[in-house]
Amino acid sequence: MRPLYAILLMLFSGLWACKSKQNALQPISAPTLEKGESFFNNNNDSAFYYFNLVATSATDSLVIAMAYTYMGIIQAYEGDHYGGQESLLKSLTYLHEHRNKDQECLSSDYHELGNICLNLKNYEAAIDYYRKALRYIKDPDDRAIALNSIALTYQKKGDYDQAINLYRSLLVKNKEQKKEYARALSNYARTKWLKDPSYPAAHELKHALQIRKDSNDSRGLNASYAHLSDYYSSSMPDSALYYAEKRYGIARQMNSPDDEAEALAKLITLSPPKLLKPYFIRYQYLTDSIQTAKNAAKNQFALIRYEAAKNKADNLQLQKDNAQKENQLIVQWFMLVLIILISISIGIFMIQRYRRRRQQIEIASRQAIQEHQLKTSQKVHDVVANGLYRIMTDLEYKGPVDKESLVDKIEILYERSRDISYEEPTISRLPFHERIEDLLSSFGSDDTRVLIFGNGPTLWNHANAQVQIEVEHILQELMINMKKHSQGHSVVIKFERQNNQLHIHYTDDGIGLPPQFKYGNGLRNTENRIKRIGGQYKFEHPDKGLKMHISFPIAQPS
């Protein structure tokens, strides 16, 4: 279960810490803040807009801090962890640890910063922030939630003894609080099992599950089913599959796409081969839609802040112009007519200039967003679409499914896709000519022969990392298009090196390209990649099949 949802209850505690959690906090007159709160959790775009107005226009430091806290929570929830971190740190600059009225927001800020660091796997920083939050928390229930977050961080870090000691203390303290007791018990049993796989955790895990069933705790049931499925994965696969299916059902009931995607990944590892395809299709749809929604949210937050900053600058400029005009009228009243004429001329000039400047800014902003979307789309295509296609090809054409290998591939694909906006290219330790051999050979099957010539270790001498990455994606796209469209039975890929140029000759005996052929996203990306490494390409159209020749300099300039 991902950390964001494992500590979701604390996130909502953070939401209310600045507003309605404790009655001791004195009401603050801030109509715009209340407007944002009315949209919060229902329409977060509108909520973010009003909170940003408060942050940039209010005069009360606590009101500004509260606005930034809300903004940080919204950004983190939508997957913009670094943007959320920036807003929460900004909130802290408006708060003072010795002011009683600020301490609720301080605890919320620190705890939410801990949540973000936990999501980013910065465990030491997460623990430090959680402990800072504890200094300002007085309510016993809220302290239990904060301590559970610290214990969970120790568990994720692999420091099981620290986590177990904390969970033991929480079990003693929370015996009367059924929901918190079930959470501590399930996490305690899971941690004991992670430390010692022979530990019999089933009784405690099932006891926590029953408490959550009796309490109608959907979020808790989701966690319990995940824990039980993991526990039984090795010893009792049928039980593991049962609990994975139960988790999938509760995730769909909660309408939680992230939890549903995790449940599907588990089902894929446990289900018989004949049931894998519908799970794969649903998994691909979910991961694409989740990533698209997160990217859209990040762009939307950036645009809201940009528009607010621009409007504020425009208002300040307008105030300055009006003040200057008033001073001129007072000092030079006898030149009233002339000043009016000059002011009208200046006003027309300023409006025209402002319009031109605004158009330039809007064009630049749209171009930046389009470039970002294009890069993200290319990453999604390369990482998710092509990765899933290769896995589905293995399932369709290879022999019996090796579930452990399949699980490894899915896990790598899932980790790369969930944080794709921050992804940096990784270089395999496998020699590059072997990676190319594996890539091309993976598209062979009983119906399709793949013949490779000239791909030796010396061929790729002096090829830098960027050239390797681009060449690997180019060849992968060519082979996927062959598999999808060519209907050929034989593919030949020949590599040769002449002076400082590397040549790749691709030939298949398929149906070739139709006369009205139009490039799709894949071939457009391939064309861009070839140009990016200074290369050239050309197609040939024999009587049958397709030929393509690619050449590029093997040593790229630094």
Side-chain angles (χ1 to χ4, degrees):
M1 183 171 178
R2 287 171 52 192
L4 176 63
Y5 292 103
I7 51 179
L8 188 62
L9 182 58
M10 189 58 220
L11 182 149
F12 283 106
S13 297
L15 307 184
W16 298 104
C18 295
K19 177 177 172 263
S20 62
K21 187 175 69 174
Q22 285 123 349
N23 294 328
L25 183 63
Q26 294 299 316
I28 298 171
S29 177
T32 308
L33 184 69
E34 294 170 0
K35 186 76 170 177
E37 290 170 341
S38 70
F39 285 109
F40 187 68
N41 273 343
N42 297 316
N43 185 341
N44 278 341
D45 283 354
S46 297
F48 190 91
Y49 169 79
Y50 285 108
F51 292 138
N52 189 60
L53 280 182
V54 174
T56 55
S57 62
T59 56
D60 187 297
S61 61
L62 180 55
V63 172
I64 297 172
M66 292 163 67
Y68 276 118
T69 299
Y70 274 114
M71 291 163 67
I73 291 170
I74 291 172
Q75 288 169 289
Y77 182 76
E78 297 293 347
D80 184 8
H81 299 303
Y82 292 105
Q85 192 174 55
E86 179 185 354
S87 295
L88 291 163
L89 291 173
K90 187 75 172 176
S91 173
L92 290 175
T93 64
Y94 290 92
L95 300 170
H96 196 286
E97 62 180 349
H98 297 302
R99 284 202 298 257
N100 289 334
K101 66 178 183 177
D102 289 0
Q103 292 185 357
E104 293 172 6
C105 275
L106 281 166
S107 68
S108 298
D109 287 345
Y110 283 131
H111 203 108
E112 187 58 33
L113 284 166
N115 293 348
I116 290 173
C117 288
L118 181 57
N119 276 289
L120 297 175
K121 301 183 181 179
N122 188 354
Y123 300 126
E124 294 297 336
I127 292 170
D128 182 59
Y129 280 127
Y130 288 139
R131 294 200 181 281
K132 285 180 179 178
L134 275 172
R135 297 205 304 256
Y136 306 104
I137 299 175
K138 303 295 190 296
D139 183 78
D141 293 339
D142 293 335
R143 290 185 66 83
I145 294 173
L147 288 169
N148 184 80
S149 297
I150 295 173
L152 179 64
T153 307
Y154 278 126
Q155 184 203 91
K156 297 292 183 183
K157 184 184 173 186
D159 194 344
Y160 299 128
D161 289 333
Q162 289 273 29
I164 289 168
N165 289 335
L166 272 174
Y167 283 131
R168 278 199 187 110
S169 67
L170 287 169
L171 286 171
V172 174
K173 293 176 183 177
N174 294 321
K175 276 196 172 181
E176 302 303 321
Q177 302 293 329
K178 295 299 184 183
K179 194 171 182 179
E180 291 304 317
Y181 180 80
R183 187 206 328 249
L185 179 61
S186 188
N187 285 333
Y188 169 78
R190 175 177 171 80
T191 308
K192 291 277 286 184
W193 170 69
L194 288 172
K195 180 184 177 183
D196 178 9
S198 65
Y199 178 74
H203 176 72
E204 292 164 323
L205 291 172
K206 289 179 179 178
H207 183 43
L209 173 64
Q210 188 59 50
I211 294 173
R212 285 166 161 171
K213 284 182 177 179
D214 295 339
S215 303
N216 197 25
D217 179 8
S218 297
R219 179 60 56 187
L221 286 172
N222 179 70
S224 282
Y225 289 140
H227 291 175
L228 282 161
S229 182
D230 289 343
Y231 176 73
Y232 282 120
S233 289
S234 299
S235 60
M236 299 175 64
D238 288 345
S239 296
L241 177 59
Y242 168 77
Y243 286 115
E245 289 171 344
K246 297 291 287 184
R247 187 195 179 191
Y248 182 58
I250 201 73
R252 290 181 67 95
Q253 180 181 322
M254 293 189 303
N255 193 24
S256 173
D258 288 272
D259 281 314
E260 185 179 348
E262 290 180 14
L264 283 168
K266 190 67 174 178
L267 283 171
I268 289 169
T269 68
L270 297 170
S271 299
K274 63 182 180 180
L275 297 180
L276 291 179
K277 188 170 183 180
Y279 288 149
F280 261 116
I281 294 172
R282 179 63 179 170
Y283 177 81
Q284 181 182 14
Y285 168 79
L286 278 177
T287 52
D288 286 349
S289 61
I290 289 170
Q291 189 59 46
T292 300
K294 288 182 178 180
N295 289 336
K298 293 174 189 176
N299 291 335
Q300 181 66 9
F301 296 149
L303 286 172
I304 290 172
R305 280 187 158 172
Y306 162 76
E307 289 293 340
K310 182 170 68 65
N311 290 336
K312 184 176 181 180
D314 292 344
N315 289 333
L316 290 174
Q317 182 63 45
L318 185 59
Q319 292 173 8
K320 182 178 178 181
D321 291 344
N322 289 336
Q324 289 176 345
K325 291 177 184 179
E326 290 176 2
N327 289 335
Q328 289 173 355
L329 287 172
I330 294 172
V331 175
Q332 301 176 347
W333 59 269
F334 55 91
M335 299 181 65
L336 180 61
V337 175
L338 179 61
I339 290 174
I340 292 174
L341 293 174
I342 293 174
S343 297
I344 292 173
S345 299
I346 291 174
I348 293 173
F349 170 77
M350 290 299 292
I351 290 171
Q352 292 176 341
R353 180 181 177 184
Y354 165 76
R355 287 177 177 172
R356 286 195 299 270
R357 178 60 179 161
R358 182 172 179 178
Q359 290 174 349
Q360 292 171 353
I361 292 172
E362 289 176 347
I363 291 171
S365 176
R366 285 196 298 268
Q367 289 175 343
I369 292 171
Q370 289 171 353
E371 290 174 1
H372 174 74
Q373 290 174 336
L374 179 61
K375 290 178 181 178
T376 301
S377 174
Q378 189 177 68
K379 287 182 179 180
V380 170
H381 179 273
D382 291 338
V383 173
V384 180
N386 286 347
L388 281 172
Y389 189 85
R390 288 186 64 184
I391 293 173
M392 293 174 71
T393 299
D394 286 345
L395 287 171
E396 185 174 359
Y397 294 106
K398 300 298 180 185
V401 177
D402 182 351
K403 284 200 173 183
E404 289 185 1
S405 173
L406 181 60
V407 169
D408 290 342
K409 290 179 181 179
I410 293 170
E411 184 175 357
I412 292 169
L413 180 60
Y414 179 72
E415 291 297 330
R416 293 181 66 192
S417 65
R418 69 185 287 196
D419 293 319
I420 199 167
S421 295
Y422 306 105
E423 179 182 342
E424 297 181 358
T426 56
I427 303 302
S428 170
R429 295 182 181 179
L430 195 68
F432 186 64
H433 73 283
E434 293 184 21
R435 287 163 49 198
I436 292 299
E437 190 82 17
D438 290 345
L439 169 66
L440 298 175
S441 299
S442 69
F443 287 91
S445 67
D446 293 340
D447 298 325
T448 304
R449 291 188 308 159
V450 178
L451 304 177
I452 306 165
F453 299 98
N455 180 37
T458 60
L459 178 74
W460 302 102
N461 286 349
H462 309 299
N464 61 32
Q466 184 61 35
V467 169
Q468 293 182 12
I469 292 169
E470 301 295 359
V471 168
E472 191 169 0
H473 283 303
I474 290 167
L475 292 174
Q476 178 174 262
E477 190 60 44
L478 285 176
M479 298 304 289
I480 287 175
N481 273 280
M482 177 276 296
K483 205 72 176 177
K484 288 182 176 178
H485 306 300
S486 77
Q487 301 178 20
H489 300 289
S490 181
V491 181
V492 179
I493 303 97
K494 180 180 178 183
F495 299 86
E496 61 180 6
R497 184 168 176 170
Q498 297 178 0
N499 299 325
N500 197 36
Q501 292 282 321
L502 197 145
H503 301 269
I504 302 174
H505 306 283
Y506 169 91
T507 305
D508 68 43
D509 60 355
I511 61 174
L513 296 179
Q516 303 300 322
F517 174 75
K518 293 184 180 180
Y519 280 24
N521 287 338
L523 286 180
R524 276 198 294 270
N525 288 341
T526 299
E527 181 181 36
N528 291 334
R529 290 185 185 281
I530 294 171
K531 291 180 180 178
R532 201 146 54 217
I533 57 176
Q536 297 178 336
Y537 71 96
K538 66 177 181 178
F539 286 103
E540 291 186 13
H541 304 280
D543 293 337
K544 183 178 181 181
L546 174 69
K547 290 186 177 181
M548 183 177 183
H549 305 281
I550 302 170
S551 62
F552 54 89
I554 191 65
Q556 299 292 313
S558 59

